[in-house]
Amino acid sequence: MLDFVGSQLYNLRVPHFSEINATTRYCAVLGHPIKHSASPGMHNPAMAALGLNWRYLAFDVDPCDLPQALQGAKRMKFVGLNLTVPHKLLAVELVDELDVSAQEWGAVNTVQFLARVGGVAKPVWQLDPDQEAEIFTRGYNTDADAITRSIEEDLGHDINGSTILLLGAGGAGRVAALKFAAEGVANLFLVNRTMEKAEAVAEEIRERFPEVNVRCGYPNSTVELVVNATSAGLKATDPLPFDESRWSLSRAAKAYDMIYRPAETPFLQAARLAGCKTANGVGMLLYQGAKALEIWSGEKPPIALMRDALLKNVYGTAAGK
Ligand code: ATR
């Protein structure tokens, strides 16, 4: 009996990959560079677990070739694409339709290929092979929801009504700031090496979310959460993403770093030593990918399996250390 139960569990945990054949359909991530992408490692086992004869590939695409790459994937009836640095803003102008998520956050990280059949939009992969239909692209943003979902689930932090210090006002920082505002953050402090960029994001928040108390600069009182959305920490020689002479991690209860390689960045290590509860950005990668798979397949994504596969791919072990 135990053996039977054990083997059932085993079958659930180990996805069965169907052989690549003439009916296999494709997804891919496009980026430049792309060689460190963990997305194929996360998506392929998930697609197999859902019983889909799909494969997820990765292509290094120069930004100037992005229009042709999108056209090529469309002509080859791909299921969908993910886009990573530096394509997310460019793609806003290249897709045929923008989902509200992409309109709201001004960036596209997920593309779905659709066809209109009898006036109804249908995923291309659901068409009969010989069915004639004009294919079009719809762009989504699954990054913004992934930021708050990861913070809520990995740190147990409710954004709504909280006080947050956000470090960074580049592409990722801007989307995080706007998403926190949309989720009802009460007090948002913005700090960026180039403070004019933080001011511009603060101004956008004041216009779109006037109920949020947004200020530029370090807070005098404690914050519930500090988030690193800068790229400082990607290299071992990088400085901490804040000015230690002006602010201390002992004034935060929780710390989140969007960087996930290494698993514990110098920022997270300092935060842990200062007594903060910490989490890195691997959850963001997981949830943006899970949502993309849900958009493409219409199925509930196997989150636990995707998390294990991602951690193994990034850290070499499902324990994620
Ligand atoms: P992304 O799309 O990943 O956000 P980005 O738009 O280039 O990339 O933004 C990088 C962010 O990291 C910016 O906030 C940048 O600060 P500046 O706006 O002043 O350039 C920040 N950053 C990069 N290196 C940094 C460092 N050494 N110290 C502090 N902030 C840094």
Side-chain angles (χ1 to χ4, degrees):
M1 181 62 186
L2 265 179
D3 275 345
F4 172 74
V5 173
S7 72
Q8 291 293 303
L9 286 174
Y10 187 75
N11 284 339
L12 277 176
R13 289 164 62 94
V14 180
H16 171 72
F17 286 93
S18 53
E19 261 186 45
I20 293 179
N21 57 29
T23 65
T24 305
R25 307 302 292 259
Y26 296 93
C27 294
V29 56
L30 313 183
H32 184 68
I34 200 66
K35 69 179 177 188
H36 295 299
S37 175
S39 292
M42 167 172 68
H43 277 285
N44 281 309
M47 289 169 170
L50 290 176
L52 298 164
N53 182 12
W54 292 4
R55 288 296 191 281
Y56 187 106
L57 311 169
F59 295 107
D60 192 315
V61 173
D62 195 277
C64 64
D65 294 328
L66 186 62
Q68 292 93 325
L70 284 173
Q71 279 301 323
K74 187 198 253 186
R75 299 287 158 127
M76 290 190 286
K77 301 195 176 79
F78 269 45
V79 172
L81 295 172
N82 281 139
L83 303 173
T84 187
V85 179
H87 299 320
K88 294 182 193 188
L89 298 183
L90 288 172
V92 172
E93 307 298 327
L94 296 174
V95 292
D96 300 313
E97 278 185 6
L98 289 174
D99 175 69
V100 286
S101 57
Q103 287 171 25
E104 191 159 11
W105 309 116
V108 168
N109 79 313
T110 300
V111 176
Q112 182 185 31
F113 294 97
L114 296 146
R116 227 174 287 283
V117 182
V120 178
K122 202 173 168 181
V124 160
W125 65 270
Q126 289 179 356
L127 294 183
D128 293 334
D130 48 4
Q131 195 170 356
E132 292 287 328
E134 199 187 327
I135 298 172
F136 65 98
T137 49
R138 184 180 291 158
Y140 298 78
N141 184 300
T142 70
D143 284 332
D145 284 354
I147 296 170
T148 46
R149 185 167 174 194
S150 176
I151 287 172
E152 282 166 7
E153 299 202 7
D154 301 334
L155 280 180
H157 182 79
D158 188 1
I159 307 283
N160 190 277
S162 70
T163 297
I164 298 177
L165 166 60
L166 177 64
L167 308 167
R174 177 185 161 273
V175 171
L178 290 166
K179 179 67 180 160
F180 292 160
E183 292 286 318
V185 65
N187 303 296
L188 183 60
F189 294 87
L190 301 180
V191 167
N192 193 50
R193 184 175 57 180
T194 314
M195 276 312 270
E196 294 78 29
K197 282 203 225 166
E199 291 289 355
V201 173
E203 210 37 55
E204 197 175 348
I205 290 176
R206 285 183 198 111
E207 274 167 32
R208 286 174 66 177
F209 305 96
E211 66 285 2
V212 172
N213 178 20
V214 58
R215 270 173 280 173
C216 291
Y218 292 101
N220 291 322
S221 49
T222 56
V223 296
E224 288 154 85
L225 174 67
V226 55
V227 176
N228 177 34
T230 77
S231 48
L234 281 173
K235 288 187 270 137
T237 51
D238 283 344
L240 285 176
F242 62 92
D243 183 346
E244 288 178 273
S245 68
R246 298 178 62 197
W247 191 76
S248 158
L249 280 162
S250 62
R251 288 154 79 179
K254 296 170 185 165
Y256 188 90
D257 199 335
M258 290 197 184
I259 298 170
Y260 58 88
R261 258 194 204 111
E264 188 175 65
T265 59
F267 170 74
L268 286 187
Q269 186 187 37
R272 178 172 55 79
L273 294 174
C276 299
K277 185 173 179 184
T278 63
N280 72 20
V282 81
M284 276 176 58
L285 189 60
L286 169 68
Y287 294 123
Q288 64 76 32
K291 183 67 192 173
L293 183 56
E294 187 178 332
I295 289 167
W296 296 327
S297 68
E299 302 277 345
K300 200 168 170 303
I303 296 280
L305 181 142
M306 292 177 84
R307 185 192 298 275
D308 279 6
L310 184 59
L311 295 179
K312 261 189 215 134
N313 188 283
V314 177
Y315 306 117
T317 150
K321 298 264 176 256

